[in-house]
Structures are given as C-alpha cells and as structure tokens.
C-alpha cells in the first residue's frame, strides 16, 4: 500500500525547525527547503519520491521508461511542495476553503472522465509523476487553484497575488535542488503550468 501524501503545509509537510542557512551560508543537513521559517525535510521529500518510484516499479513493462523519463524527480517533487505551500497560504489569506464533499465531487468527475480509478492513477503516474496515494492531494491542489483564480477574477491577478505570497514566505531552497525564483513561483527553470492553465469549467485530466 502506498503512503498517502498530505497536501497541507502543516506538520505533514513542514515541521518547525531552524532556518535552512547557517551563519556560514551552507544548507543545514536534512533540510530541503524553508518556507516562512519552517522547513521541508529531505526525509519528507524523499518519502514522496520513494512513493513514485515504487509505483513506477510496479508499472510492468512501462516501468523502465517511466523511471528513465524522470531523472529530476526529487527537484520536481520539491517544486510542487513549495508551490503547494504558496497556494495554501494565498488561499488562506483570501478566505478560501474546500469542503470534503467538494473534493469528493471533483474526484468523481475525474474518475468518470478517466474511466475508473485504475486509469486515473495510471495517467497521473505517467503524466505528472504522482503515486496513487498522491492523486487526491493533486486534485485538491487543482481545485484550490481554480477557486483562487475565480476569487481574483483572472489567472493573471491570482498569479500576481501568488508571487506576493511567495516573496513574503521568504522561501529558501537547498542548493542541491536549485534556486527558488519567487517571481516564477518555481525552482530555477521549472515550468509552472498549474499557474497558467485552468481546470474549470471542464475537469482537467489527473496530472495535467
């Protein structure tokens, strides 16, 4: 059974800890990134990576190809964790919440469109490097993103607010994974389709 990955930027992702950089400027051992003075540990990041690798290894004949096509999985996962932290904070500041029922309804839409849970999970693994236990968090992420877009009236205005939140959180990233770009809301040259692409009014495929 795959470990379920929490979406919240609370204790599941961010445990209270010292800042990433010591006086020498070197990253503290065991820290992948720091968000608002709290850290994402390398163990939390590796747990997400391990879940995906386990799912890829169970993909039968497609396993080797899936693994070979995701050499920067740790960086990609950390990027998403940081974007999640920014999104969650921006939504909180805007007073946006999601009920369990809303998430379940959205998941049912995705299941119907994909043709069942097995196909949804396979698509999520192939297209977005999501383990089965990470799909629900991804659906919440997309739904919350869309609500933020609607709240500000356009993706452009929402992105402007997300950028301001990213700046305020003072995100630092362990250099081994790259450098955080608050303006792009991403690590280095990572692309951010989650910012510029809406999933509403029509539901988006898992992993889009």
């Amino acid at each position: 059974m795959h470990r379920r990955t929490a979406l919240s930027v609370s204790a599941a992702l961010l445990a209270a800890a010292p800042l990433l950089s010591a006086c020498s400027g070197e990253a503290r051992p065991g820290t992948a990134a720091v968000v608002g003075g709290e850290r994402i540990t390398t163990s939390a990041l590796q747990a997400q990576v391990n879940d995906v690798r386990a799912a890829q290894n169970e993909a039968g004949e497609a396993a080797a190809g899936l693994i070979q096509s995701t050499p920067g999985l740790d960086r990609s996962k950390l990027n998403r964790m940081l974007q999640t932290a920014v999104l969650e904070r921006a939504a909180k500041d805007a007073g946006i919440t999601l009920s369990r029922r809303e998430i379940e309804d959205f998941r049912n839409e995705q299941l119907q469109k994909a043709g069942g849970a097995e196909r949804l999970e396979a698509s999520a693994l192939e297209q977005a490097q999501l383990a089965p236990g990470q799909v629900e968090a991804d659906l919440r992420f997309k739904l919350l993103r869309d609500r933020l877009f609607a709240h500000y009236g356009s993706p452009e205005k929402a992105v402007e607010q997300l950028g301001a939140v990213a700046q305020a959180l003072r995100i630092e990233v362990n250099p081994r994974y790259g450098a955080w770009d608050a303006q792009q809301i991403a690590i280095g040259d990572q692309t951010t389709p989650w910012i510029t692409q809406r999933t509403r009014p029509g539901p988006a495929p898992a992993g889009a």
Side-chain angles (χ1 to χ4, degrees), residues 42 116 125 151 190:
T42 53
L125 180 62
H151 177 81
Q190 289 277 321

Side-chain angles (χ1 to χ4, degrees), residues 164-175:
V165 170
Q167 289 280 3
L169 286 174
R170 299 184 179 276
I171 295 172
E172 298 179 66
V173 174
N174 189 316

Side-chain angles (χ1 to χ4, degrees), residues 79-80 83 184-195:
N79 193 62
R80 189 62 162 208
Q83 290 177 341
Q184 295 297 320
I185 318 177
I187 297 174
D189 58 359
Q190 289 277 321
T191 57
T192 55
W194 65 276
I195 292 176

Side-chain angles (χ1 to χ4, degrees), residues 70-91:
T70 54
L73 185 58
D74 55 351
R75 186 184 184 201
S76 176
K77 282 296 177 184
L78 180 59
N79 193 62
R80 189 62 162 208
M81 293 170 82
L82 294 172
Q83 290 177 341
T84 295
V86 173
L87 180 63
E88 290 277 1
R89 177 63 64 85

Side-chain angles (χ1 to χ4, degrees), residues 106-160:
F106 187 52
R107 177 180 174 81
N108 288 336
E109 290 179 5
Q110 301 303 301
L111 286 170
Q112 185 174 15
K113 184 173 182 178
E118 186 174 343
R119 290 186 178 181
L120 179 67
E121 292 174 355
S123 176
L125 180 62
E126 180 180 357
Q127 297 179 22
Q129 299 81 55
L130 294 170
Q134 297 169 358
V135 172
E136 184 173 341
D138 185 64
L139 294 176
R140 174 183 162 84
F141 180 99
K142 292 172 181 173
L143 190 55
L144 195 61
R145 172 199 62 189
D146 286 351
R147 292 293 171 83
L148 194 71
F149 286 173
H151 177 81
Y152 286 104
S154 71
E156 292 76 18
K157 290 181 180 179
V159 168
E160 183 178 347

